[in-house]
Amino acid sequence: QVQLVESGGGSVQAGGSLRLSCATSGYTFSTWCMGWFRQAPGKEREGVAAISPYGTTTYADSVKGQFVVSRDNAKNTVYLQMDTLTPEDTAMYYCAADRRPQCVLYKALSLESADFSYWGQGTQVTVS
């Protein structure tokens, strides 16, 4: 059974930093791409970052230079380092797994929700 469990969210003042973690189990973590999404109240879910098994990354324009996605295949965990946070970053943050072969084989990273098969329950980030 595939499981994704996020942690590391919380409340922080503007300008602060948080590091989110997503621990996974139930599949071979190193064979799938991973992504981070967020959803603020009243807004659509937004893909913010994705990473291939080999460390290739992509980011939404809104977070480039501010967020960094990384993974530790030995620990089956993906991370999202978030710096210089603003109130606009307040949202529920989700990690997700992308099983598409083209992502693994051709590094065709995606930030589209429909391309991700498994989701965590989310962790809340509040910036004031």
Side-chain angles (χ1 to χ4, degrees), residues 23-24 33 35 51 55 64-66 71 82 95 109 112 122-123:
T24 72
C33 295
I51 185 168
K64 281 182 180 176
Q66 183 188 6
R71 65 191 291 162
M82 306 186 296
C95 71
L109 290 164
E112 297 294 330
T123 186

Side-chain angles (χ1 to χ4, degrees), residues 12-81:
V12 64
Q13 290 188 339
S17 299
L18 283 174
R19 188 194 195 202
L20 305 183
S21 299
C22 174
T24 72
S25 61
Y27 70 103
T28 305
F29 177 76
S30 61
T31 62
W32 290 357
C33 295
M34 297 296 296
W36 284 97
F37 292 77
R38 66 184 180 184
Q39 187 166 21
K43 294 187 177 180
E44 293 187 354
R45 185 161 51 190
E46 172 192 22
V48 297
I51 185 168
S52 77
Y54 316 108
T56 305
T57 59
T58 192
Y59 297 92
D61 288 343
S62 59
V63 304
K64 281 182 180 176
Q66 183 188 6
F67 290 4
V68 176
V69 61
S70 62
R71 65 191 291 162
D72 186 334
N73 289 338
K75 295 183 178 180
N76 296 338
T77 301
V78 61
Y79 305 96
L80 186 68
Q81 177 67 41

Side-chain angles (χ1 to χ4, degrees), residues 2-6 35-38 45 94-97 112-122:
V2 176
Q3 289 189 321
L4 289 73
V5 180
E6 301 95 335
W36 284 97
F37 292 77
R38 66 184 180 184
R45 185 161 51 190
Y94 302 88
C95 71
E112 297 294 330
S113 298
D115 288 330
F116 289 78
S117 302
Y118 297 96
W119 295 81
Q121 82 291 347

